[in-house]
């Protein structure tokens, strides 16, 4: 196995009990197995989906180190590794590997693998000085790309870019973006760069200027006006439902065009949708589960070509609880990222 020198132990932020707080612990070094590499983490994004581990919404076992927006440099590769080598600059997101043999993998649809690994959920993730990652889930990153900028693209960025490009939509069509937060601010930028007419839907006037700077053609500040304004523009062909509130998501249905698509990208409570517009307008409800390593590379390539930047706040590993709490409270502007020393 090719490797650089490494410590016997390293620091990691662990969740040790359901609903508990992060603890900074020392964990023992583990050499990578076949199909794995060890990455010295440079940046790790703090995502709302980290709560799936904290609260065990997806039971992956504890103790566990969360983190699925991981950027760093390979310091050791497992036996027989062909594609990656020591010193490669790489990243890995929510998709942490696939089994290659289930029905979904046989179709090449790795993101829906029946035995999918999820970084930070079923295996330890990036909120640590080092991370053991599966090589099929690694994206090669461009040299010189700021790791703090790169990290959020591996979940937040890929979620909005990869989902939008798979919808039934053409340049010039109306795309509605619900909110101007962590996902919303990237959604506006990606949608504008893709040639859509972008209408940002807020809750007040506070983020109007920012939304327009990011690329929104129209900003609607009063939720009571969202559907009506969308219909004035012909209706949204796609509405990105980003509020973790089923009622707020469902309210977008009245603003959709014929054959409109409600694209649900945020985890929240139950979604109850009126049947009449679903039937009369042939409306569909879609979801999209992030993407593979190849999708991550394409997301970052598009963002670089279009000059799309993520708005971030940086924290040290020892500040992980502060970063997580700030993100969960909706106070981050707009993605919290752990930056390693």
């Amino acid at each position: 196995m090719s490797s650089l020198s490494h410590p016997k132990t390293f620091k990691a932020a662990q969740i040790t009990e359901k609903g508990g707080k992060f603890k900074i612990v020392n964990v023992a070094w583990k050499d990578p197995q076949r199909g794995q590499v060890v990455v010295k983490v440079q940046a790790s994004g703090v995502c709302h989906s980290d709560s799936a581990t904290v609260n065990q919404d997806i039971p992956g076992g504890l103790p566990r180190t969360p983190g699925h927006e991981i950027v760093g440099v390979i310091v050791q590769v497992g036996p027989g590794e062909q594609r990656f080598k020591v010193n490669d600059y790489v990243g890995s997101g929510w998709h942490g590997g696939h089994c290659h043999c289930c029905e979904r993998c046989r179709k090449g649809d790795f993101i829906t693998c029946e035995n999918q690994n999820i970084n930070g959920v079923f295996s330890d993730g990036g909120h640590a000085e080092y991370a053991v990652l599966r090589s099929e889930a690694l994206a090669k990153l461009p040299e010189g790309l700021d790791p703090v900028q790169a990290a959020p693209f591996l979940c937040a960025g890929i979620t909005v870019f990869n989902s939008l490009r798979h919808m039934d939509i053409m340049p010039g069509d109306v795309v509605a973006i619900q909110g101007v937060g962590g996902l919303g601010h990237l959604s506006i930028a990606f949608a504008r760069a893709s040639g859509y007419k972008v209408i940002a839907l807020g809750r007040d006037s506070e983020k109007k200027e920012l939304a327009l700077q990011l690329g929104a053609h129209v900003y609607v500040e009063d939720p009571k006006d969202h559907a009506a304004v969308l219909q004035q523009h012909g209706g949204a062909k796609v509405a990105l439902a980003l509020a973790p509130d089923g009622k707020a998501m469902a309210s977008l249905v009245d603003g959709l065009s014929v054959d409109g698509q409600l694209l649900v990208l945020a985890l929240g409570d139950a979604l109850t949708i009126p049947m009449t517009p679903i039937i009369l307008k042939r409306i569909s409800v879609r979801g999209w589960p992030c993407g593979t390593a190849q999708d991550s590379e394409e997301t970052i390539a598009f963002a670089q070509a279009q000059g799309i930047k993520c708005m971030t706040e940086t924290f040290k590993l020892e500040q992980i609880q502060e970063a997580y709490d700030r993100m969960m409270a909706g106070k981050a502007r707009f993605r919290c990222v752990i930056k390693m020393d």
Side-chain angles (χ1 to χ4, degrees), residues 116-177:
Q116 178 185 189
N117 180 51
I118 301 175
N119 287 322
V121 177
F122 298 132
S123 63
D124 286 335
H127 299 339
E129 293 178 316
Y130 294 87
V132 178
L133 303 172
R134 284 166 57 169
S135 57
E136 78 268 21
L138 288 181
K140 286 190 174 182
L141 301 182
E143 293 296 331
L145 177 62
D146 180 1
V148 172
Q149 271 293 305
F153 284 127
L154 297 171
C155 182
I158 189 178
T159 295
V160 297
F161 174 72
N162 203 31
S163 60
L164 265 178
R165 68 176 178 166
H166 283 92
M167 296 300 105
D168 180 16
I169 188 170
M170 297 290 289
D173 286 341
V174 173
V175 170
I177 311 292

Side-chain angles (χ1 to χ4, degrees), residues 251-333:
S251 70
L252 298 177
V253 169
D254 289 335
L256 292 172
S257 66
V258 172
D259 294 322
Q261 301 151 95
L262 181 66
L263 179 55
V264 179
L265 298 180
L267 297 175
D269 51 18
L271 182 62
T272 303
I273 300 177
M275 290 296 101
T276 300
I278 293 285
I279 295 171
L280 296 182
K281 287 188 173 184
R282 297 192 299 255
I283 286 170
S284 60
V285 180
R286 303 287 303 275
W288 203 267
C290 214
T292 64
Q294 180 67 35
D295 295 320
S296 291
E297 292 178 8
E298 292 170 3
T299 299
I300 289 173
F302 184 86
Q304 285 193 303
Q306 299 296 327
I308 296 173
K309 299 289 187 181
C310 183
M311 300 178 69
T312 62
E313 298 180 7
T314 58
F315 297 80
K316 296 180 179 180
L317 180 61
E318 291 75 14
Q319 297 174 301
I320 179 62
Q321 190 65 52
E322 178 186 347
Y324 178 79
D325 291 343
R326 183 168 175 79
M327 176 272 303
M328 291 297 291
K331 296 179 180 179
R333 303 237 347 155

